Amino acid sequence: MRPKAELHCHIEGAVAPELARAQAEKYGVDLTGVLDGEGYVWRDFTGFLACYDRVAGLFRSEEDYALLAETYLTGLAEAGAIYSEIIVSPDHGARVGLGPNAYLAGLAAGIGAARDRTGIEGRMLVTGIRHLGAEAVVAAARFAATRPHPLVTGFNLAGEERFGRVADYARAFDIARDAGLGLTIHAGELCGAASVRDALDHVRPARISHGVRAIEDAALVERLADEGVVLECCPGSNIALGVFPSFAGHPLRALHDRGVKVTLNSDDPPFFHTSLAREYAVAAEEMGFSRGDIDGMTRTAIEAAFVEPSVKARLLSSL
Ligand code: HPA
Ligand code: ZN
């Protein structure tokens, strides 16, 4: 199996339906309207976020989060991944009464257990939740800036992209940048090219989570290529949410061919009926990428990883 790497997966969005059912049983939660025989139940992005929050609420202890991270990363390693960055949300821990340090400790234990079992390297990116407002995102950044765990290496902004303006969140990213964290931000998924330009101007991130709607503006595509900003592309997520009509019509190919650094990611895999392995398979089978192109995306992901240079060098040498 060729090695794979992932930079963009929300850990609460990585809950396999079987694990959700087991957790619901554990806590006596009725999953009607959340999960049915077809999978997670949602119709649009707003409904997806609501469903995601319900599933996150099934994880209530350090041990629950350890189990989630270990389960996800072990499966990912079995599918060929050597490296994964999971997006973690202390705000979701707080909703179930789990303090931020216990939340991270649980996830870190799961990352460690998966590494011991399979060798996969995992890191965590703390995220702010955009629709909770700028102050909540500043609080998430302040927490991340304390460098609460050595496996926390970056900061992201997720949630409802249509809420507020990127500039409202610049202060949170300044705090994270000053603490030496790697920066990435959700943009150019539900909002258009202007959101990607705003992200570049106000946040100056090394990477953009999605960013694919930059394709609407040729000058912006050129800027992304010139500046070497890495896009964490999630084609299956985009198709599931109706951002693009089909894989054939997805801009991954055009962005790649115009020199933008792109990577393959699963976002919230079972919610979007995908997995990292499926993203790799679709890129080859439905988007016409060669094996060399795809190996190049894996290399790009490791090069853009928010991980210590020694580990990065080891991972690159294993490709
Ligand atoms: N996009 C934005 N916010 C999110 C997502 C996503 O796919 N998953 C969880 N929060
Ligand atoms: Zn995402």
Side-chain angles (χ1 to χ4, degrees):
M1 209 167 4
R2 322 265 314 160
K4 303 178 180 73
E6 176 158 77
L7 301 179
H8 182 156
C9 178
H10 302 258
I11 195 62
E12 289 90 356
V15 181
E18 322 70 271
L19 181 56
R21 287 200 183 90
Q23 292 294 119
E25 174 96 351
K26 176 174 176 179
Y27 291 116
V29 174
D30 179 6
L31 288 179
T32 305
V34 175
L35 178 61
D36 66 18
E38 309 280 292
Y40 291 114
V41 180
W42 55 272
R43 296 172 59 88
D44 57 15
F45 187 71
T46 305
F48 157 71
L49 286 178
C51 183
Y52 178 99
D53 286 348
R54 298 272 299 273
V55 173
L58 300 171
F59 295 82
R60 302 180 180 182
S61 68
E62 216 173 299
E63 293 71 29
D64 290 346
Y65 270 103
L67 176 66
L68 171 54
E70 181 178 355
T71 305
Y72 177 64
L73 293 174
T74 301
L76 202 64
E78 284 164 356
I82 59 171
Y83 182 76
S84 170
E85 284 175 16
I86 57 175
I87 299 168
V88 307
S89 168
D91 288 297
H92 281 85
R95 277 183 205 166
V96 293
L98 197 55
N101 292 305
Y103 173 81
L104 290 185
L107 288 163
I111 292 171
R115 190 197 141 122
D116 291 346
R117 284 172 64 184
T118 67
I120 190 169
E121 282 288 347
R123 294 295 181 273
M124 294 185 271
L125 310 189
V126 166
T127 194
I129 308 287
R130 187 164 174 149
H131 54 270
L132 298 184
E135 283 314 310
V137 175
V138 164
R142 285 214 178 98
F143 171 66
T146 67
R147 306 304 295 254
H149 192 283
L151 295 181
V152 170
T153 57
F155 187 72
N156 201 332
L157 179 65
E160 177 50 81
E161 200 178 310
R162 294 164 291 197
F163 184 98
R165 299 161 306 161
V166 175
D168 302 336
Y169 303 91
R171 192 159 61 91
F173 280 98
D174 288 343
I175 292 165
R177 188 186 309 100
D178 287 347
L181 292 162
L183 303 185
T184 178
I185 171 171
H186 280 65
E189 178 193 20
L190 294 153
C191 296
S195 71
V196 177
R197 193 178 306 102
D198 286 348
L200 295 179
D201 291 343
H202 295 289
V203 171
R204 309 194 312 276
R207 309 188 329 221
I208 293 188
S209 291
H210 298 287
V212 280
R213 287 185 61 189
I215 198 68
E216 295 162 7
D217 179 337
L220 179 62
V221 171
E222 205 174 309
R223 178 173 173 193
L224 288 169
D226 288 348
E227 296 183 7
V229 175
V230 172
L231 301 190
E232 305 155 8
C233 299
C234 313
S237 162
N238 296 156
I239 303 308
L241 286 166
V243 176
F244 300 102
S246 66
F247 289 109
H250 190 280
L252 179 65
R253 175 95 243 169
L255 290 163
H256 175 271
D257 291 353
R258 288 197 232 165
V260 178
K261 291 184 179 178
V262 294
T263 62
L264 294 170
N265 302 276
S266 69
D267 209 5
D268 303 278
F271 286 84
F272 301 142
H273 302 285
T274 191
S275 64
L276 184 63
R278 178 163 183 267
E279 298 299 320
Y280 271 71
V282 164
E285 291 158 18
E286 298 191 46
M287 301 172 102
F289 287 103
S290 69
R291 179 185 267 202
D293 292 334
I294 291 171
D295 286 347
M297 293 183 210
T298 303
R299 177 169 291 275
T300 297
I302 303 284
E303 285 169 350
F306 299 148
V307 71
E308 317 83 90
S310 58
V311 176
K312 185 176 294 197
R314 178 168 57 73
L315 292 167
L316 283 172
S317 71
S318 77
L319 292 183

